[in-house]
Amino acid sequence: MKSPAARATALLLALAVMPSTAHADALTSQTEQQAANWPAIVLFALFVVATLVITRRAAQRVRNASDFYTAGGGITGFQNGLAIAGDYMSAASFLGISAQIFADGYDGLIYSTGFLVGWPILLFLMAERLRNLGSYTFADVASYRFAQPPVRLFAAFSTLAVVLFYLIAQMVGAGQLIKLLFGLPYEAAVVIVGALMVSYVLFGGMLATTWVQIIKAVLLLGCASFMAFAVLWNFGFSPEALFGRAVDVKTGMAAASGSAADEARSSGLSIMAPGGFIKDPISAISFGMALMFGTAGLPHILMRFFTVPNAREARKSVLWATGWIGYFYILTFIIGFGAITLVATEPSFLTGSGELRGGSNMAAIHLASAIGGDILLGIVSAVAFATILAVVAGLTLSGASAVSHDIYASVLKKGTSAPGRELKVSRATVPVLAAIAIGLGIAFEKQNVAFMVSLAFALAASGNFPVLLMSIRWKGCTTRGAVAGGVVGVTLALVLTILSPPIWVTTLGHAAPLFDFSSPTLFSMPLAFLTIWLVSITDRSARAEIDRAGFADQNLRAETGIGSAHASAH
């Protein structure tokens, strides 16, 4: 059986999930046909079998909604921290950031820095309060002292919007990966991914999802650690020697392209300075804000804080997750520069014109081949699939909980749904979400979908984060203010993204953008905060008085945990 080689996996995979519009056009590039990579296929099969066994065992422990949504609140801080890291460290981080560093050097760190610095925000401002105030979804926290229907409806639809944009990109990436490994038609590959997604979430719930994420985190950290170790070993474990060699390689490449000696040296040194990737300071700030504050508004990440038994374990979760994620991003920096030194100098990895075969996003995959041959190449491909599958499972569970818990149980049934009925609605929602994801994944196969993940971050930073922060930190926040600010932030972020160059010009074909910057967060997030404040201080309704009066009780529970949900006994 013949299929595209695993070496081509990274190009489609990283571009489909990377939260950047910079490389969206490469989604439609062609890959070369080679023999199947059997190490990758075997490892892929082993991972699927192992995780399905875990799902079967987890399904035997799912007795109620708490078990399904939050694993009964019985996950330890260490386990949850590793699962959060597994949920957060996507193939985009492994393949995309290292590829960006391969292309632009130091500037690629904007991803690592932006993704990482969102975690102290969660730790110091939100983690403890999230665990003490919530039960299943972040809407439990945001609507704690407010009128339930409007806030929960906003939270649910905002959650579904974020989940949808994430899922489309993940489905495209995973579908392409299976297509490349097995030579299946793209449509069949996407259906397979959807079926696996349904199996993990429908039967195992959060417990199965948690262990899939933990296994994936261990695999990814181990794989990246080995690659970084091998790169440093080649340079006597001297980062200075690694960076110096990378500068020399870039200088030589510039000289070979016809640049004068001074220009070539300047080009080589540029990889150690900012300005190569995002040259516009407004876009850089806005993009950074989306990555930083969007983290604190991602529903599938926030949901993980309800899986631990208490606030202390929630804080431990963030500390462990921050440590693993920070360590991982250090590795991607080494891998990116290692690719410059070990891949860019190897003719077998280059095209006739001197460019990297398959595009710059192939950097980490080629590096794996340079270090460990087909065996390591197979491991990297299997781990890349594991990363996507873990993220897809978390996203699906988050979307299902928004429908069943926030819309059905809290809004439609006003908290009086029959025991077990909410769980049935959630399970019924999972295949519906999977069908939508499969349909959109097939529809967007040839489209530039990389922007959808950055849009998800922008939506989360512009809607979920302001509403969540103001509801738990500001006494004067009211129902009207929270809903108005959230709607304004999400709507503006969506509209400005459509009007930006990657969509308005690249995708829709217009001559010039109506919004000149690549990210809307610098404009949409402050306006969301301003709207919440302005509407709240001018709100003189009877409901507003109830909202303000409820802050003391909310703050007591948020600080002490009195009355919060406890772990289920198993």
Side-chain angles (χ1 to χ4, degrees), residues 18 92-102 108 111-112 115 329 332:
M18 189 171 182
S93 298
F94 181 45
L95 303 176
I97 295 177
S98 57
Q100 192 64 60
I101 293 171
F102 174 82
Y111 288 109
S112 302
F115 287 141
Y329 285 142
T332 60

Side-chain angles (χ1 to χ4, degrees), residues 428-506:
T429 304
V430 170
V432 174
L433 284 175
I436 295 173
I438 289 171
L440 291 175
I442 293 173
F444 280 90
E445 178 190 5
K446 300 296 185 182
Q447 300 300 314
N448 299 327
V449 298
F451 75 91
M452 291 182 180
V453 176
S454 63
L455 177 56
F457 269 79
L459 290 174
S462 303
N464 295 350
F465 173 65
V467 170
L468 197 56
L469 185 64
M470 295 292 270
S471 68
I472 64 177
R473 287 291 185 175
W474 183 38
K475 177 181 179 180
C477 187
T478 67
T479 299
R480 290 180 180 177
V483 174
V487 170
V488 167
V490 169
T491 303
L492 184 61
L494 181 60
V495 170
L496 291 183
T497 300
I498 294 174
L499 300 179
S500 65
I503 309 304
W504 196 250
V505 176
T506 305

Side-chain angles (χ1 to χ4, degrees), residues 209-519:
T209 299
T210 295
W211 283 105
V212 169
Q213 290 166 343
I214 289 174
I215 292 172
K216 167 258 175 136
V218 172
L219 290 173
L220 186 58
L221 287 168
C223 184
S225 296
F226 178 81
M227 292 180 66
F229 178 89
V231 168
L232 289 175
W233 182 80
N234 277 275
F235 293 93
F237 295 96
S238 170
E240 183 179 2
L242 171 64
F243 298 148
R245 175 58 178 159
V247 169
D248 291 341
V249 169
K250 287 289 187 178
T251 300
M253 292 171 63
S257 66
S259 298
D262 290 344
E263 292 178 354
R265 187 60 181 170
S266 177
S267 176
L269 289 173
S270 67
I271 66 171
M272 301 304 298
F277 174 41
I278 300 181
K279 299 178 175 61
D280 172 21
I282 299 297
S283 293
I285 294 172
S286 189
F287 188 64
M289 288 175 63
L291 301 182
M292 290 167 54
F293 299 108
T295 300
L298 294 176
H300 62 295
I301 296 296
L302 298 176
M303 192 177 184
R304 293 224 55 91
F305 289 100
F306 310 130
T307 65
V308 293
N310 51 53
R312 181 173 181 269
E313 293 300 309
R315 291 193 298 271
K316 286 173 61 178
S317 298
V318 181
L319 285 173
W320 278 113
T322 304
W324 295 123
I325 293 168
Y327 167 69
F328 174 74
Y329 285 142
I330 292 174
L331 299 180
T332 60
F333 192 59
I334 297 171
I335 290 170
F337 273 92
I340 295 175
T341 61
L342 300 178
V343 173
T345 57
E346 175 55 52
S348 63
F349 298 131
L350 305 177
T351 64
S353 60
E355 298 179 353
L356 198 63
R357 284 172 48 201
S360 64
N361 285 277
M362 290 290 287
I365 297 297
H366 286 315
L367 180 63
S369 180
I371 292 172
D374 284 344
I375 298 297
L376 185 58
L377 196 61
I379 294 173
V380 170
S381 299
V383 169
F385 176 78
T387 63
I388 286 185
L389 200 56
V391 174
V392 163
L395 287 167
T396 306
L397 188 58
S398 177
S401 66
V403 173
S404 61
H405 181 63
D406 295 330
I407 297 178
Y408 173 77
S410 300
V411 176
L412 297 180
K413 293 297 182 179
K414 298 181 174 18
T416 62
S417 60
R421 182 61 183 171
E422 181 180 338
L423 183 56
K424 291 181 180 178
V425 172
S426 184
R427 282 177 162 158
T429 304
V430 170
V432 174
L433 284 175
I436 295 173
I438 289 171
L440 291 175
I442 293 173
F444 280 90
E445 178 190 5
K446 300 296 185 182
Q447 300 300 314
N448 299 327
V449 298
F451 75 91
M452 291 182 180
V453 176
S454 63
L455 177 56
F457 269 79
L459 290 174
S462 303
N464 295 350
F465 173 65
V467 170
L468 197 56
L469 185 64
M470 295 292 270
S471 68
I472 64 177
R473 287 291 185 175
W474 183 38
K475 177 181 179 180
C477 187
T478 67
T479 299
R480 290 180 180 177
V483 174
V487 170
V488 167
V490 169
T491 303
L492 184 61
L494 181 60
V495 170
L496 291 183
T497 300
I498 294 174
L499 300 179
S500 65
I503 309 304
W504 196 250
V505 176
T506 305
T507 303
L508 300 180
H510 295 281
L514 300 180
F515 178 68
D516 291 330
F517 308 106
S518 60
S519 175

Side-chain angles (χ1 to χ4, degrees), residues 177-190:
L177 176 58
I178 294 182
K179 174 185 175 182
L180 294 173
L181 285 176
F182 294 98
L184 295 173
Y186 174 81
E187 294 79 6
V190 171

